[in-house]
Amino acid sequence: MNGKTFLYGLFLVLPLFLASCGDDDLKNANAVSSNKVTLTRDRTIGVDIIYSDSARVKAKGTAPILDKVTPSTGSPYQEMIKGVNIDFYNPNGTIDGNLVCDYAIRKDTELKTEFRKNVVVKNSKGDTFSSQELIWDESKKIFYSNQMVDILSVNGDFTRAKDFKAPQDFSTYEMGQGSGEINSKGSL
């Protein structure tokens, strides 16, 4: 094949390639490239968080890293990528509970905080609640989860349940489907 034949072949095939890329394809490509979302991320290292209600401290938390994220579209949120440790306070000002987890995200407009990965809560009675996810609804003042939650009571009772719900102090709780073991002392 000589050079002229190759050039003629190239000029014959090239229009076929260009014709396969229509105007609509180019418009769609532009539309896709213009849907960029930009984020503003402000990072704070070594954060102390205080939650109060009616001038009374209800909880104090610490997080190694707190990222405040503001997307160009959508709602801002706060992300604690290295987890959080929160102490809960009773009306007397003493610690009566604790929550730790490996990751948390607070959605500002929803007033909800999702605690994820190795979430462990201890209440004032000494009961321990553990799950891979707990959600705190700030406006309803409850914790809930659709994931499995393990509950180990101070007397040794063990319960595993889904559809979990508890008030902020974990003094009581409700659950949907579950199973467990109850330690009974004495005879029935």
Side-chain angles (χ1 to χ4, degrees):
M1 178 186 288
N2 64 26
K4 283 185 178 182
T5 306
F6 176 74
L7 282 175
Y8 289 128
L10 182 61
F11 285 120
L12 289 173
V13 174
L14 187 59
L16 293 174
F17 285 126
L18 293 176
S20 68
C21 186
D23 288 336
D24 288 340
D25 293 334
L26 292 175
K27 288 177 187 172
N28 289 339
N30 286 337
V32 169
S33 66
S34 67
N35 287 338
K36 294 179 184 176
V37 175
T38 57
L39 300 173
T40 302
R41 183 178 294 264
D42 295 320
R43 177 165 282 183
T44 305
I45 306 293
V47 177
D48 290 325
I49 304 162
I50 297 175
Y51 172 71
S52 62
D53 188 13
S54 302
R56 188 176 73 78
V57 173
K58 295 210 169 202
K60 286 184 183 178
T62 58
I65 297 173
L66 174 72
D67 290 336
K68 183 173 170 107
V69 181
T70 307
S72 59
T73 60
S75 302
Y77 58 92
Q78 298 171 38
E79 194 173 31
M80 291 146 272
I81 60 172
K82 296 287 186 177
V84 67
N85 184 343
I86 302 170
D87 290 326
F88 299 104
Y89 290 83
N90 63 22
N92 298 329
T94 58
I95 296 173
D96 70 350
N98 177 266
L99 180 148
V100 294
C101 68
D102 294 341
Y103 173 87
I105 183 169
R106 180 178 188 272
K107 298 177 180 177
D108 295 349
T109 56
E110 294 178 33
L111 295 176
K112 289 185 180 177
T113 304
E114 297 175 15
F115 301 97
R116 298 184 195 150
K117 298 180 186 172
N118 303 312
V119 184
V120 177
V121 177
K122 292 187 180 181
N123 68 7
S124 62
K125 296 185 267 185
D127 299 334
T128 303
F129 304 82
S130 57
S131 180
Q132 289 304 307
E133 178 183 73
L134 276 178
I135 300 169
W136 176 46
D137 187 321
E138 204 172 315
S139 58
K140 293 181 181 176
K141 300 185 181 200
I142 61 166
F143 280 90
Y144 67 92
S145 179
N146 296 322
Q147 304 292 319
M148 286 300 231
V149 177
D150 293 338
I151 305 158
L152 180 60
S153 69
V154 71
N155 66 0
D157 294 347
F158 175 80
T159 307
R160 173 171 281 158
K162 284 182 94 171
D163 302 323
F164 175 85
K165 186 164 67 169
Q168 289 180 148
D169 64 359
F170 282 84
S171 57
T172 61
Y173 56 88
E174 298 173 19
M175 58 189 159
Q177 28 179 295
S179 62
E181 297 176 14
I182 297 174
N183 291 324
S184 62
K185 295 182 180 172
S187 59
L188 296 175

